[in-house]
Amino acid sequence: MSSELKYLTSPLTIRGKVYKNRICAAPVGASASPPSGDIPEFILASYRRTAQGGCASVCVGEHAAPGIYADRLGEHPATDYSDTTGLQSDGWRKYAQAIHENGALALIELAHGGCVRDIDDDLEPAAIGPVDYIREDGKHVGAIDEAMMAQIADDFGIGAAYMKACGFDGILIHAGHGWLLHQFLSTTFNTRTDEYGGSAENRARFPIQVMRRIREAVGEDFIIELRVSCSEVTKAGLDREVLLALAKGIEGYVDILHFSSGLYDDPHATRMWSTMYDDHFCNLPVAEYVKANTEKLIIAVVGGINNPEEADRLIGEGKLDLIDLGRQVQNADPDFANKCMEGRPWDINRCVRCLQCGGGMPSDPDAEDPDLDAPATGFGSPNKNRGGPPPGEGDGMQGPPPMPDGPRCTINPMANTDYTLDTIPKAAEPKKVLIVGGGISGLTAAVVAFERGHKVTLIEKSSRLGGILRFTDNDAHKVDLNNYLNLMIRRVKDRDIEVLLNTELTEELINKLDPDQILCAVGSSPVVPPIPGIENASKALDWYFGGVETGEHIVMVGGGLVGCETAL
């Protein structure tokens, strides 16, 4: 089985630097170099692994631009941008080197927090932004005047030139997710009445000034990428006309315009992290509009992208030039690009956008302790109460504590380990392994045991593999999860694994097969509460499996996720 991805795997040259394909690793999280320049090995290893996966470029996560108001949270050491030869700059070089040595171009993201800066210090005002106001947390935000604009533009230029000296091929400037440049573009934040507010051209004026200054600082042989939010989704602060005005103003200075979405303080609802309920390529419509109305810009899109065939078609049709992948290559399948280049996109673990790696849900304002009531399921999600825009903002986000072993992934148990499916260590002594249960756990165990060199038999009492995940056959929102289930079934069938369907575990069968090891993956059964008359009700999953006939009027008992999705 093979699949040619003619456009997605074609090279692209920008400023004399070759993108070997059209697949880029988006910036994830934050980055820093301490004054000692000692970068933890596990951090460098994560960038090496992403580059090894075949992406054309890898972007190191967000770092604060120069300037006392730029840093949002104060959680990482500030960079001395005046010294390009010291130990701290050597630390930044290690990032670029780790990426270059593994075949990818190296970029780094710089950002300015603007009015959402949240550091407790003695600065007055506590933060700066487009307008002067008192935030909901009581902190004073000062309005940026033209002298400050000139200084901030110079600061961004200094930061970009510094990173060029440290060996990076380009810079990504963050003008999305609610950071300073986004704040000027958006009427959610920018209510100025001078030449920097009001019309689309006015709101784009300061971001254009910044990008022009960066190009002057770095020269012509350095890539500049600008990331913007195409929408705030839950608000009306951004429209495609302001983004088009920005795009036309930066042509000639900026090489890549990169479309993301949303606001950091409300990442799920605003599609900053799209979920399985959002469309794939959810940021494409605005990006496509801007591309159709500009001439020089290279257009990149992030957001719900896990389908290389669709990306190939869209690039071939001229609707975009690059795709940026975050969770997909950081966790779900670091070898996404390699598999595309090798003509086997069918073997990709396609991210199901479950947010296991991304973190919590909004705090419940009515909970006894909202912070403690918020689920914490992943790594690196935004924290709540970051200040936000002027009055009228929604609830913040409560994130989980960091995990020492990095983000987890629902569909890739080898995420953030040293292993891939092809490099699992072989067992010192191969054994006969019997796996009981053909659901996702049993399928995964069968593949991993086989790759370790064991002789594997998988038994399933029903006539089909898939277990409880077979409900995705009939759930319109679970296409990606269904794809993963079918991938795992195919991986089992493609290996020399004996599969026995319609087979229950018995003592007789155990004696016949004589396994050295039995792995139990029998799943679970639904809890049925002792409610009078419940024997006349049907279980939700039975409906998904096609065993329930419904009349005209249906009552869902239970308003949790399963109840809501089944009702929908």
Side-chain angles (χ1 to χ4, degrees):
M1 185 185 300
S2 65
S3 178
E4 181 185 10
L5 301 168
K6 176 180 177 182
Y7 304 103
L8 185 64
T9 60
S10 64
L12 178 68
T13 300
I14 304 175
R15 301 278 173 180
K17 304 178 192 301
V18 178
Y19 283 65
K20 61 187 177 184
N21 53 51
R22 306 304 181 91
I23 305 166
C24 305
V28 175
S31 63
S33 176
S36 67
D38 294 326
I39 310 299
E41 175 56 29
F42 78 91
I43 292 178
L44 295 177
S46 70
Y47 286 108
R48 288 193 198 99
R49 180 67 187 92
T50 304
Q52 288 167 0
C55 290
S57 69
V58 176
C59 189
V60 175
E62 175 195 342
H63 189 67
I68 59 173
Y69 283 105
D71 193 2
R72 292 188 297 115
L73 304 176
E75 294 177 347
H76 297 294
T79 292
D80 179 1
Y81 285 100
S82 68
D83 182 5
T84 60
T85 61
L87 294 176
Q88 190 171 42
S89 65
D90 287 343
W92 288 116
R93 289 185 182 89
K94 292 174 185 176
Y95 284 97
Q97 184 178 9
I99 296 168
H100 285 150
E101 289 178 347
N102 291 283
L105 297 174
L107 280 74
I108 183 169
E109 180 183 65
L110 291 185
H112 190 301
C115 69
V116 298
R117 179 180 181 269
D118 190 25
I119 302 174
D120 290 322
D121 52 28
D122 295 329
L123 282 179
E124 171 52 41
I128 55 175
V131 297
D132 189 279
Y133 72 103
I134 302 299
R135 292 192 321 209
E136 289 187 355
D137 61 1
K139 293 184 178 180
H140 176 209
V141 175
I144 296 174
D145 59 25
E146 289 190 331
M148 297 170 74
M149 290 180 194
Q151 182 60 59
I152 291 169
D154 285 344
D155 287 341
F156 268 108
I158 290 168
Y162 175 93
M163 292 304 177
K164 179 181 179 181
C166 291
F168 287 93
D169 301 293
I171 198 83
L172 187 155
I173 302 300
H174 208 327
H177 300 177
W179 305 159
L180 178 64
L181 300 184
H182 175 135
Q183 292 160 22
F184 269 83
L185 294 170
S186 168
T187 57
T188 299
F189 302 85
N190 184 355
T191 57
R192 296 173 74 116
T193 57
D194 63 1
E195 62 267 39
Y196 295 95
S199 70
E201 289 74 18
N202 282 357
R203 285 179 280 138
R205 192 182 306 276
F206 174 51
I208 293 170
Q209 176 185 349
V210 171
M211 305 316 294
R212 182 187 304 119
R213 184 67 191 93
I214 292 172
R215 177 56 69 195
E216 292 170 353
V218 298
E220 298 298 320
D221 60 344
F222 194 64
I223 298 167
I224 300 177
E225 181 172 354
L226 181 64
R227 175 181 250 196
V228 296
S229 289
C230 66
S231 171
E232 292 172 358
V233 182
T234 59
K235 300 180 177 67
L238 286 175
D239 57 71
R240 65 183 192 174
E241 296 308 322
V242 74
L243 296 173
L244 180 59
L246 173 68
K248 289 184 174 181
I250 62 175
E251 281 193 289
Y253 308 119
V254 172
D255 304 297
I256 305 169
L257 186 56
H258 167 159
F259 287 86
S260 182
S261 182
L263 296 167
Y264 179 85
D265 279 332
D266 199 1
H268 305 152
T270 63
R271 293 201 309 258
M272 193 190 93
W273 289 333
S274 67
T275 73
M276 63 185 69
Y277 301 102
D278 294 309
D279 291 336
H280 294 102
F281 289 88
C282 54
N283 299 321
L284 179 63
V286 175
E288 184 180 355
Y289 171 77
V290 171
K291 183 170 177 60
N293 288 280
T294 54
E295 297 179 359
K296 300 177 182 178
L297 287 170
I298 293 162
I299 300 298
V301 176
V302 69
I305 301 173
N306 66 5
N307 186 332
E309 296 87 357
E310 180 73 357
D312 187 70
R313 180 184 68 80
L314 292 169
I315 293 171
E317 292 175 354
K319 294 180 178 178
L320 70 155
D321 302 294
L322 298 169
I323 60 171
D324 270 87
L325 306 177
R327 295 167 285 179
Q328 176 61 63
V329 295
Q330 294 289 341
N331 298 305
D333 197 332
D335 287 309
F336 180 99
N338 284 338
K339 291 176 180 178
C340 291
M341 297 292 284
E342 294 163 5
R344 52 189 186 101
W346 47 269
D347 195 37
I348 290 170
N349 290 353
R350 304 189 183 201
C351 175
V352 298
R353 297 187 288 171
C354 63
L355 301 176
Q356 174 70 20
C357 64
M361 298 295 287
S363 294
D364 178 3
D366 298 321
E368 187 172 328
D369 186 333
D371 287 355
L372 295 179
D373 257 58
T377 59
F379 172 79
S381 71
N383 295 323
K384 61 182 295 189
N385 298 329
R386 292 302 182 201
E393 67 163 335
D395 289 337
M397 301 298 297
Q398 169 63 31
M403 297 187 301
D405 55 347
R408 295 189 175 100
C409 181
T410 296
I411 65 171
N412 181 14
M414 286 161 282
N416 297 289
T417 71
D418 294 330
Y419 306 121
T420 65
L421 198 57
D422 300 327
T423 63
I424 296 173
K426 296 296 182 182
E429 181 183 350
K431 296 182 178 181
K432 293 167 63 178
V433 177
L434 172 62
I435 297 173
V436 185
I440 196 66
S441 295
L443 294 169
T444 304
V447 171
V448 173
F450 178 85
E451 292 301 324
R452 295 208 66 205
H454 299 298
K455 179 177 174 55
V456 180
T457 299
L458 172 65
I459 68 169
E460 163 59 41
K461 70 178 181 179
S462 74
S463 61
R464 293 179 57 193
L465 295 173
I468 197 172
L469 284 192
R470 287 191 289 112
F471 86 91
T472 61
D473 291 343
N474 298 303
D475 189 330
H477 301 111
K478 302 299 191 305
V479 173
D480 291 327
L481 195 56
N482 187 249
N483 286 339
Y484 182 67
L485 173 62
N486 292 330
L487 171 63
M488 291 308 301
I489 293 173
R490 184 165 61 246
R491 283 177 175 168
V492 167
K493 291 181 176 179
D494 287 346
R495 288 163 171 79
D496 188 17
I497 295 172
E498 183 180 18
V499 177
L500 303 176
L501 300 176
N502 301 302
T503 303
E504 290 197 43
L505 181 66
T506 63
E507 184 178 355
E508 180 183 8
L509 181 62
I510 293 174
N511 292 333
K512 177 181 177 181
L513 296 176
D514 190 27
D516 299 307
Q517 191 78 40
I518 299 176
L519 299 181
C520 184
V522 297
S524 60
S525 299
V527 172
V528 180
I531 300 172
I534 200 167
E535 65 275 8
N536 298 313
S538 302
K539 301 181 184 72
L541 279 175
D542 290 343
W543 179 83
Y544 282 103
F545 292 143
V548 176
E549 292 186 9
T550 59
E552 183 177 352
H553 301 290
I554 302 169
V555 174
M556 288 301 307
V557 181
L561 187 60
V562 172
C564 289
E565 289 186 335
T566 308
L568 188 61

